[in-house]
Amino acid sequence: MPGHAQERTAADLLATFGGAPSPRPATGPGDHSRRDRMNRRTAPRRGHARIGHGWSPVLAPLPVYHASTHDIGGLFPLLGSRPTPAVGARIGYDVDSGGAFYCHPVELVLRGGYATNPNMALFGEPGRGKSSTVVAFLLRMASFGVRTVISGDVKGEYTPVARALGATPIVLGAGTNARINALDLGPLTTRWNTWSVHRQRDELTSLLSRWGQLLAALAESQGYAPTVTDDAALAAVLHRLVGATDGNTHLRPISIPDVHRQLAEPDPQLWHDLRYASRRAFLDQLRPVTDALANLISGPLAGLFDGPTTVDLDWNAPLQTMDLSRLRSRGDTAIAIALTCLGAWTSLATDLRADGDIRIVVRDECWRQLRLGPRAVATVDAELRLSRLEQTIQILVLHKLSDLLSVGASGSQAVAIARDLIALCSHRVLFGQSTRVAEDLADALALTGPELHRLTGAVNERRGRALWKVENHSAHLVQTVLSGFEKRLFDTNAQLRTRRKGR
Ligand SMILES: Nc1ncnc2c1ncn2[C@@H]1O[C@H](COP(=O)(O)OP(=O)(O)OP(=O)(O)O)[C@@H](O)[C@H]1O
Ligand SMILES: [Mg+2]
């Protein structure tokens, strides 16, 4: 046909991807004659053109070549990597194979060999579709009875989703009297008497270490890095306040102002137990941490996390969200502190829930919290470590790797914890990134060259497209497909559009 490209043979194609393939080594003439004698042709060269008799679209015998698997890959470009099992939420399609792509982090752990933990980390520049993918995931997991807690929604994006599912969001900030005690005993109070003394001791130790971490992270948010001496003093104060040192059979409810009061007005027993020479020495040494806690009580978050909790998590709701959008005017640090307090509160409540069902805990905008400092990273790290035991899928939404690694000098312990945090998220969902950020990610997540190439290229072609990489398995390029209902519910650009129309 005029102008039609000349048909290429397999040999031509293979030569495009590597060296020209060699034909199969010829067998000796004697072999040919023997085979000819034994295998006489009983059918035409294309087979019989009849049903059940086989028919070959190309002339037999086929030419046979030898080539390496590397070159052969060029002939079969559509060979995909091993697909993930078709269980759980159907997210969208695998761009390479066109097949459906599913995600069920807990199943991937249970099926063995695929993932070691069910946690997910999503990385990507703003507006790439991270939160939309989270919403698609949790709505689709809801059909399997999996419920979700949004541990702090800075922009109030999840509120319409919760309302559409018939749940009432917890709204913190101006105009509401909702308050969450950062040092809440949560479900521990009701379950305490049902436990053996051994279990009570274990739970109390874990609770006090969480609170210690939280208070240290909060002090750090005020610009003071607590020392080991401060840690010891905070631990001693928490022990006393909760009633662990005086053989009390019930735990006493406490709050941040109680801790501050003990540090600011110590009784002789406290400074003596902590081996200070005098009350003055105690006050002088612990002044920075005491003042840091005082700032929390009187600062922009006053009244929100420093008194008894007035809200309750509804465990039966398919989606519980804590809307922080009314706190936005109080500044970035205040928001980050709020996320830290909520994170600690939700993880205690989620870990000790009675039903034993799988729960998704979403930490959207988690990068804000991690920027507070190494102690904040350590808090999230501790919460993630528990998740495999507690049937929780923790989802962290981050922008870039430096959100994690900027917490300390390279090679420092803080950076080591931050790298560990990535390892605690087997499921990494990588949305579009600039080249430099992508290179950092590729390094930390051991991405292959072609995966890095896609991260700065193919991933950016459409919103909601990402590389899904589960540990060291090869990544899948996946397009999240949102339903019309989901798009309407979660249109985070809606405000931009209305503003433009009103202009
Ligand atoms: N898969 C998708 N298909 C179509 N539209 C999408 C898809 N994913 C996201 N969008 C649209 O893109 C916009 C931004 O998405 P989204 O808020 O999820 O981004 P984000 O990465 O969470 O941004 P940020 O970092 O600012 O929170 C939304 O209006 C959303 O409707
Ligand atoms: Mg978002």
Side-chain angles (χ1 to χ4, degrees):
M1 195 191 296
H4 193 276
Q6 209 187 348
E7 209 173 83
R8 286 193 291 170
T9 64
D12 295 336
L13 275 172
L14 277 173
T16 323
F17 296 100
S22 57
R24 189 170 66 174
T27 41
D31 293 343
H32 268 307
S33 54
R34 197 163 52 244
R35 201 167 57 205
D36 279 351
R37 270 206 310 279
M38 290 177 68
N39 299 329
R40 281 181 200 286
R41 206 162 65 210
T42 55
R45 295 187 76 197
R46 283 175 184 253
H48 294 287
R50 263 187 287 151
I51 292 170
H53 283 72
W55 183 80
S56 153
V58 288
L59 285 179
L62 295 172
V64 179
Y65 300 101
H66 277 197
S68 69
T69 44
H70 175 265
D71 297 333
I72 295 285
L75 259 192
F76 297 99
L78 298 183
L79 277 185
S81 53
R82 179 180 159 201
T84 47
V87 281
R90 190 152 91 170
I91 299 292
Y93 59 90
D94 184 322
V95 176
D96 295 325
S97 67
F101 182 84
Y102 295 81
C103 176
H104 195 318
V106 173
E107 274 297 318
L108 290 196
V109 175
L110 296 180
R111 288 182 182 215
Y114 221 97
T116 48
N117 66 65
N119 303 324
M120 290 170 82
L122 290 89
F123 291 90
E125 289 173 342
R128 292 282 176 189
K130 300 180 292 298
S131 307
S132 306
T133 294
V134 170
V135 167
F137 173 66
L138 59 92
L139 284 177
R140 293 162 200 188
M141 288 300 278
S143 8
F144 298 94
V146 178
R147 281 162 282 183
T148 301
V149 180
I150 311 287
S151 181
D153 173 14
V154 177
K155 302 180 196 158
E157 295 166 339
Y158 294 85
T159 295
V161 185
R163 289 201 202 283
L165 295 177
T168 314
I170 296 170
V171 183
L172 288 163
T176 72
N177 57 5
R179 190 175 48 212
I180 285 170
N181 182 5
L183 304 180
D184 197 357
L185 287 165
L188 214 72
T189 342
T190 43
R191 300 188 60 193
W192 188 254
N193 286 332
T194 63
W195 289 332
S196 65
V197 175
H198 186 68
R199 172 98 196 254
Q200 286 179 344
R201 206 176 305 132
D202 274 0
E203 294 290 349
L204 188 61
T205 312
S206 140
L207 176 78
L208 292 176
S209 92
R210 277 169 191 233
W211 281 353
Q213 288 269 20
L214 174 67
L215 289 177
L218 296 179
E220 198 173 52
S221 71
Q222 301 302 303
Y224 171 67
T227 61
V228 277
T229 314
D230 299 319
D231 286 339
L234 287 173
V237 167
L238 289 171
H239 263 81
R240 296 176 114 222
L241 283 172
V242 86
T245 41
D246 52 16
N248 203 348
T249 47
H250 292 283
L251 298 176
R252 276 195 293 262
I254 67 169
S255 62
I256 295 179
D258 297 331
V259 178
H260 175 258
R261 208 169 304 115
Q262 287 269 326
L263 292 172
E265 299 156 24
D267 59 55
Q269 188 67 43
L270 180 63
W271 56 261
H272 195 260
D273 286 353
L274 285 166
R275 302 191 315 284
Y276 283 92
S278 63
R279 184 172 186 271
R280 184 80 264 143
F282 177 97
L283 290 174
D284 288 346
Q285 170 80 44
L286 298 174
R287 179 180 301 282
V289 72
T290 312
D291 290 348
L293 293 184
N295 283 353
L296 289 170
I297 303 166
S298 59
L301 294 179
L304 285 180
F305 298 103
D306 49 11
T309 302
T310 58
V311 295
D312 207 6
L313 272 183
D314 175 3
W315 290 120
N316 294 321
L319 176 67
Q320 268 279 277
T321 169
M322 292 159 226
D323 186 331
L324 298 179
S325 56
R326 297 190 190 182
L327 299 183
R328 271 157 91 181
S329 58
R330 301 190 194 195
D332 281 351
T333 311
I335 300 269
I337 296 171
L339 287 172
T340 311
C341 293
L342 282 182
W345 184 72
T346 359
S347 56
L348 178 71
T350 319
D351 291 351
L352 289 176
R353 69 193 184 274
D355 57 21
D357 293 342
I358 300 174
R359 278 291 186 312
I360 300 172
V361 176
V362 179
R363 295 159 188 273
D364 203 338
E365 305 271 324
C366 179
W367 55 274
R368 292 171 184 270
Q369 180 184 343
L370 297 177
R371 279 189 187 171
L372 279 183
R375 295 300 193 115
V377 178
T379 314
V380 178
D381 181 83
E383 283 153 19
L384 257 61
R385 278 179 198 284
L386 289 165
S387 72
R388 198 163 59 87
L389 292 173
E390 311 293 353
Q391 293 262 303
T392 318
I393 301 170
Q394 300 268 355
I395 302 184
L396 309 187
V397 180
L398 304 157
H399 278 165
K400 47 189 189 291
L401 198 68
S402 55
D403 292 339
L404 285 169
L405 303 186
S406 57
V407 293
S410 70
S412 65
Q413 199 200 354
V415 170
I417 296 178
R419 284 196 182 271
D420 273 1
L421 195 60
I422 306 173
L424 287 174
C425 296
S426 283
H427 304 256
R428 292 96 186 232
V429 187
L430 313 174
F431 288 81
Q433 297 281 10
S434 70
T435 314
R436 195 180 48 77
V437 174
E439 278 167 7
D440 284 351
L441 264 178
D443 185 36
L445 304 181
L447 298 188
T448 61
E451 284 169 353
L452 170 61
H453 184 66
R454 302 191 111 184
L455 196 52
T456 51
V459 158
N460 297 299
E461 279 166 16
R462 276 183 65 186
R463 269 208 194 125
R465 190 165 284 192
L467 273 188
W468 288 62
K469 186 152 173 92
V470 181
E471 290 180 4
N472 288 332
H473 301 280
S474 52
H476 295 265
L477 182 62
V478 177
Q479 175 67 47
T480 301
V481 179
L482 301 177
S483 67
F485 175 69
E486 287 165 343
K487 274 189 197 150
R488 277 193 304 281
L489 265 188
F490 203 81
D491 184 1
T492 55
N493 284 344
Q495 265 189 333
L496 280 179
R497 266 192 288 277
T498 35
R499 259 185 223 157
R500 199 193 291 161
K501 263 189 215 159
R503 230 192 278 156

